[in-house]
Amino acid sequence: MDAKTYNAQLAELRALRDDIKKTQATLAKLETDRARQITALAGYEKAKAERIAPAAGLSLADIVAIAPILAPDQLTNPAPAAPTGAAVAPPEPARQTAPPSGPEPAQEQAPSQAGTIAPAMTRPAPEAAAEPEPPAAPSASPSASSSAPAPLTAAPLAAHGAQRTLPGIPEGPEGDRWFAHTANLASTHPNFTQQARSTVFLDTATGVLVHRDHTFRLDLPTASAAEILNTVFHVLPDGVERIYITAGAPWHRQADQHPFLKDAVGAWLNAPTPGWRTDTGRGKDRMAGHFVHPRNPVGRYQREQGEQHVEIRSAGEWFDTEGTEPAVIRDAFVLLWKALRRHWPDAVLMGSPSQTGRDLWTRTIPTKGQYADGYPVLSEELRGLFHATAGQGRTELITPPHVPEQLPALVEYDRTFAYAKHTWKAGIGAPRRVTAARFAAWSEKEQAKALFACGHWHVRVTVPQNWDHVGTLPAPAPGDRAWHYPATPGTTFTTWAGGPEIHTALSNPRSPWKVEILDGILFDDGKPLDDWSKKLKEAWSSLTAQADLNGDPTQRTAAHLAARAVRAILLYGIGAFAQRPRTVTGTTPRTAERDVPTDAEIIGFDDQTITWQRPTGFTRDPNAHPEWAAHIWSSARAALLSQRHRDDNTYAGALHAPPGSVVAFRTDAVYLTQPQNWPYHGQPGDYLNKGHLTGPLTAPTTEDELLTLRDKGRTTPQTTSNNEGS
């Protein structure tokens, strides 16, 4: 073989690689759709793997791997023995989550790791909750009368090992080493003033550009990054530093040419931009390179000749911009800036809510007192453990037979500005390890105090035998960072959970769960986020009042959007504390493809450019505090189940609704089959009745079906008085 033939065959090999990449992407999408359908079919009471397998073109083993609930009896672990004198109930049909995240975990064999059983906790119940309510009654229609929710009475037949295994802390000195802070890394008060950036707002669908008090109309036939940059700088020759896209989503214009939306975005960001190149950062600004996100990407560019830096971003990072003119969106940002300036004289709006949130938080770090030197950052090992074991919002869809096939209604309760309710305390100081033996040595009072404090616990959990409601604690499900909530009586699983959820499992109004402490991370209680959160809540309250009282419709809209932006600052600011491992996206010319990093994954390509990404792990981020984010997320999930309203002497949450009436959870919202008399005063954390759709309604079995009913419920007028319209 000569050099010419060698090079020609290399070119053919590259073409084959490109074709394979495209085919693999299409195949992966089809396989995902097939698995989703199999999981949905498994929810049918009489579903059998023998019938589904030939329809799917898979073996019985493949079907059981996707939906272990369909496994034959002889292939699964036996259900736990019933207590003496008790009847053994039939197996429970499948329980589906949205998005599907796998079945309930199997019963565990006797584990080798010893645990210490946490004490059950009691709480004073309000008078109205003295007797548990009966299960939700279905609609009176004939079709509904035969669709009563099935009781949760037996463990599902699940294939052993189907659930994801979570990491733990090593025994001995190796694990103890994790409990030291990262050397010379702490969150400190900044010693500089953040600089504002000149910003414009552009609707690429209409070509309307707003800069300060001036409006221009641009011609953008292709709306490519190069066209946007060159046209904007032609109209504003002095230049701008940030371009917010308010409508048009130019990065989606060629979505039909790519298998995934993210591929289309990557192609748009990395298309040739004559006169410009990808920004490599400047000064202390480490934000360099493009950020590929399917809906809210960030393009960072720098002039090839000169020092001009500019970023193209989506205003959708801050709030829903649909149907709003660019001028009104600019007014919203002005109102937001003014509201923040009342609390932070040096406040500057940065590119995203998360950047703004963390910058504002650093300006509340004490300059005197105990933490004048800052808040130390956990070891990389503990940060990695929190990343792997602390989920965020609860997303779960509960399907028949656990709810009626015909719902009498679908009522949406959404917690107003929910995370702001849970920032009043967080863990500070050096983390302490609490082994099972150490926990056992404490008195019951000390144990209860520890579980009520800021901690993260490795636990073995057993659902009570008499349990008839939704699950209380997250369990690892198959898939990366997927979680579900076992509720079947007798089910045992091992997981990590925050103190607020553990406390709720032990003190819930129905029946305490059995929780065995295997290991734990415990912090001192502190208030590192309290000042920051209070200022944001005051800004939110002020803007919400403006939105309610302003007589100008456009200013009402602007104030409403600004209030939503404050919510985003807190929400995404908390998420930024979690500090997930970073993934770098880059491009390499096709002519230099051997320069693609060896550990990179190729995610896109065209005739000129190869787009790749590779993980870079955790950076030395001085503001990384995943322990704070984990505690807030755990508190919010616990409040979805039970939340006390002291002023009203009552409780709200899913566990205070009748068994069989909970249809779904979506982060801050719970969906029920009947309205509840829960108090609403417009305060953070209160349950707002946001939608009510009267039945009978076919119970949703997919997330899309739930969202369709939700949207309809939000727009359908109601005559009930329980908080609607608040």
Side-chain angles (χ1 to χ4, degrees):
M1 178 182 295
D2 57 19
K4 183 176 180 180
T5 304
Y6 176 77
N7 289 329
Q9 291 192 4
L10 271 181
E12 292 176 5
L13 185 61
R14 293 188 190 102
L16 283 172
R17 176 199 66 192
D18 295 352
D19 290 341
I20 290 170
K21 182 74 174 178
K22 292 176 182 177
T23 304
Q24 285 175 333
T26 302
L27 178 61
K29 184 176 185 302
L30 291 172
E31 288 178 339
T32 300
D33 291 343
R34 179 174 64 182
R36 186 179 293 114
Q37 275 198 276
I38 291 170
T39 305
L41 287 169
Y44 176 54
E45 184 177 3
K46 298 180 181 179
K48 293 184 180 298
E50 294 84 352
R51 290 199 61 189
I52 296 175
L58 296 173
S59 67
L60 284 176
D62 292 331
I63 296 297
V64 170
I66 295 170
I69 193 67
L70 298 173
D73 293 1
Q74 65 270 24
L75 296 181
T76 60
N77 295 320
T84 304
V88 178
E92 177 199 11
R95 180 183 172 87
Q96 183 180 334
T97 61
S101 58
E104 305 267 357
Q107 299 294 308
E108 294 183 353
Q109 304 299 323
S112 57
Q113 187 174 4
T116 301
I117 299 177
M121 303 178 187
T122 58
R123 62 167 72 179
E127 294 179 5
E131 291 292 333
E133 298 182 64
S139 171
S141 66
S143 59
S145 63
S146 60
S147 305
L152 303 175
T153 53
L157 299 176
H160 184 69
Q163 71 180 53
R164 188 172 81 261
T165 301
L166 298 179
I169 304 171
E171 297 294 335
E174 174 63 18
D176 295 339
R177 185 179 61 82
W178 289 20
F179 286 77
H181 285 122
T182 300
N184 304 315
L185 191 65
S187 308
T188 57
H189 195 287
N191 57 4
F192 63 93
T193 300
Q194 198 69 250
Q195 297 299 309
R197 295 193 178 184
S198 175
T199 302
V200 298
F201 301 86
L202 173 63
D203 182 336
T204 59
T206 63
V208 173
L209 174 74
V210 175
H211 177 235
R212 296 177 181 167
D213 295 329
H214 303 287
T215 300
F216 307 89
R217 189 168 293 275
L218 311 183
D219 183 22
L220 300 170
T222 65
S224 65
E227 187 175 69
I228 290 172
L229 291 169
N230 293 325
T231 307
V232 168
F233 277 81
H234 176 74
V235 173
L236 301 169
D238 291 338
V240 297
E241 296 175 280
R242 184 176 295 135
I243 301 171
Y244 275 123
I245 305 299
T246 65
W251 36 77
H252 291 164
R253 287 200 176 185
Q254 296 183 340
D256 58 344
Q257 300 178 20
H258 299 270
F260 299 106
L261 206 55
K262 197 170 182 178
D263 293 340
V265 173
W268 186 88
L269 289 170
N270 293 296
T273 50
W276 300 83
R277 57 183 171 85
T278 302
D279 198 348
T280 56
R282 48 178 167 162
K284 294 183 179 180
D285 186 356
R286 294 176 299 165
M287 302 301 292
H290 303 317
F291 174 60
V292 182
H293 185 278
R295 302 202 177 275
N296 296 313
V298 182
R300 300 184 178 97
Y301 302 92
Q302 180 180 355
R303 277 201 187 275
E304 290 182 346
Q305 303 296 328
E307 293 298 318
Q308 183 67 54
H309 300 256
V310 62
E311 58 183 14
I312 301 176
R313 312 186 71 109
S314 168
E317 291 181 84
W318 293 84
F319 40 67
D320 182 6
T321 63
E322 186 175 357
T324 308
E325 297 293 330
V328 178
I329 292 175
R330 178 193 173 270
D331 289 345
F333 275 88
V334 172
L335 288 175
L336 171 64
W337 175 75
K338 290 180 177 178
L340 295 176
R341 279 270 170 156
R342 295 188 186 100
H343 303 285
W344 288 276
D346 55 351
V348 169
L349 298 183
M350 302 181 71
S352 70
S354 62
Q355 292 171 338
T356 305
R358 286 220 298 187
D359 179 70
L360 294 176
W361 172 73
T362 61
R363 298 174 192 281
T364 66
I365 297 175
T367 56
K368 298 179 180 179
Q370 182 180 3
Y371 287 97
D373 293 332
Y375 294 100
V377 174
L378 297 180
S379 68
E380 184 169 333
E381 291 84 1
L382 278 189
R383 280 181 279 154
L385 182 71
F386 272 101
H387 170 69
T389 61
Q392 192 172 351
R394 178 169 181 167
T395 301
E396 182 180 18
L397 177 62
I398 301 170
T399 57
H402 305 306
V403 295
E405 292 186 2
Q406 293 294 309
L407 306 181
L410 184 69
V411 189
E412 177 188 10
Y413 286 95
D414 185 69
R415 298 186 66 227
T416 299
F417 203 11
Y419 285 2
K421 173 79 172 179
H422 307 295
T423 52
W424 63 278
K425 77 171 182 177
I428 57 174
R432 306 185 299 280
R433 183 174 189 177
V434 181
T435 62
R438 183 178 180 184
F439 188 84
W442 288 345
S443 68
E444 188 170 309
K445 183 177 179 180
E446 289 173 320
Q447 292 176 349
K449 182 180 178 181
L451 294 173
F452 190 71
C454 297
H456 194 56
W457 301 93
H458 196 192
V459 292
R460 184 164 50 244
V461 183
T462 302
V463 184
Q465 290 291 348
N466 61 342
W467 191 254
D468 62 353
H469 220 295
V470 297
T472 65
L473 291 170
D480 183 34
R481 293 184 61 78
W483 304 89
H484 59 167
Y485 296 81
T488 303
T491 299
T492 296
F493 58 95
T494 300
T495 190
W496 282 85
E501 288 171 287
I502 299 290
H503 189 270
T504 298
L506 295 169
S507 66
N508 72 81
R510 310 197 71 83
S511 178
W513 286 37
K514 179 183 177 183
V515 177
E516 298 173 77
I517 304 298
L518 305 177
D519 213 341
I521 306 166
L522 189 62
F523 298 88
D524 293 331
D525 289 352
K527 294 180 176 291
L529 305 175
D530 194 44
D531 186 31
W532 172 71
S533 176
K534 283 180 177 176
K535 291 177 177 179
L536 289 177
K537 283 187 279 190
E538 288 175 13
W540 172 80
S541 296
S542 171
L543 290 166
T544 300
Q546 289 185 55
D548 291 338
L549 301 175
N550 200 302
D552 184 339
T554 60
Q555 288 303 300
R556 281 203 305 271
T557 299
H560 171 72
L561 294 179
R564 297 294 293 175
V566 174
R567 175 186 177 275
I569 287 173
L570 185 133
L571 176 69
Y572 295 117
I574 290 169
F577 285 124
Q579 198 224 15
R580 296 173 177 85
R582 291 178 181 261
T583 298
V584 172
T585 302
T587 59
T588 301
R590 289 289 288 265
T591 55
E593 89 176 49
R594 64 180 60 186
D595 294 335
V596 174
T598 55
D599 59 343
E601 175 191 3
I602 295 175
I603 60 173
F605 43 78
D606 55 30
D607 293 339
Q608 289 81 33
T609 306
I610 298 171
T611 304
W612 48 265
Q613 67 180 17
R614 64 185 181 91
T616 59
F618 293 103
T619 61
R620 282 184 59 84
D621 183 351
N623 297 321
H625 293 285
E627 69 276 20
W628 297 350
H631 181 78
I632 292 169
W633 293 339
S634 177
S635 299
R637 291 192 300 268
L640 273 180
L641 299 174
S642 183
Q643 172 178 281
R644 185 181 180 190
H645 290 262
R646 288 183 174 84
D647 294 342
D648 299 277
N649 189 31
T650 189
Y651 288 87
L655 291 180
H656 301 278
S661 66
V662 181
V663 178
F665 296 95
R666 281 184 59 79
T667 309
D668 300 333
V670 60
Y671 297 81
L672 307 172
T673 61
Q674 56 186 248
Q676 302 296 312
N677 190 27
W678 294 339
Y680 182 78
H681 305 296
Q683 296 301 309
D686 285 359
Y687 279 90
L688 170 64
N689 188 334
K690 208 168 183 178
H692 186 158
L693 194 59
T694 303
L697 308 165
T698 301
T701 57
T702 66
E703 184 180 20
D704 287 343
E705 291 176 2
L706 173 67
L707 297 181
T708 298
L709 292 176
R710 179 202 68 179
D711 294 343
K712 189 175 180 181
R714 288 181 178 181
T715 58
T716 301
Q718 295 296 317
T719 58
T720 56
S721 60
N722 182 29
N723 297 338
E724 283 156 335
S726 298

